[in-house]
Amino acid sequence: MSEWHQYIWIRTGTNGKPASFWVITNENSVVIDKHIDPGFPTDEEEKMLLWKGQKLDYSDLKMNSIFPPKS
């Protein structure tokens, strides 16, 4: 049986409505899926603002699919 974890952040977006960012990892903490809603709060360098003092660059989250690439 495989285990996975989903982490979700919901913030007030730039349009004043809720916006989310989420990541799904496998049991080895490898990112297997990720998503960011348009308007999720970012700073001037386009880093996501998760909470006070915590930023993350969406492009730094490397995807590692459990499925082989299509040929």
Side-chain angles (χ1 to χ4, degrees):
M1 177 162 82
S2 295
E3 184 177 306
W4 57 271
H5 305 275
Q6 184 173 19
Y7 305 91
I8 304 171
W9 290 263
I10 299 174
R11 303 274 316 270
T12 301
T14 55
N15 62 1
K17 296 181 179 181
S20 68
F21 157 66
W22 52 258
V23 176
I24 298 175
T25 64
N26 66 14
E27 62 271 8
N28 298 318
S29 297
V30 174
V31 176
I32 56 176
D33 201 5
K34 64 181 183 175
H35 171 82
I36 185 170
D37 287 339
F40 191 88
T42 58
D43 68 5
E44 61 280 349
E45 298 173 339
E46 298 297 315
K47 293 187 180 198
M48 297 178 299
L49 303 172
L50 301 180
W51 58 83
K52 187 176 182 174
Q54 183 65 42
K55 299 177 186 181
L56 179 66
D57 191 337
Y58 186 76
S59 63
D60 284 347
L61 294 171
K62 305 294 183 218
M63 290 288 295
N64 292 292
S65 176
I66 59 174
F67 303 105
K70 294 179 182 177
S71 32

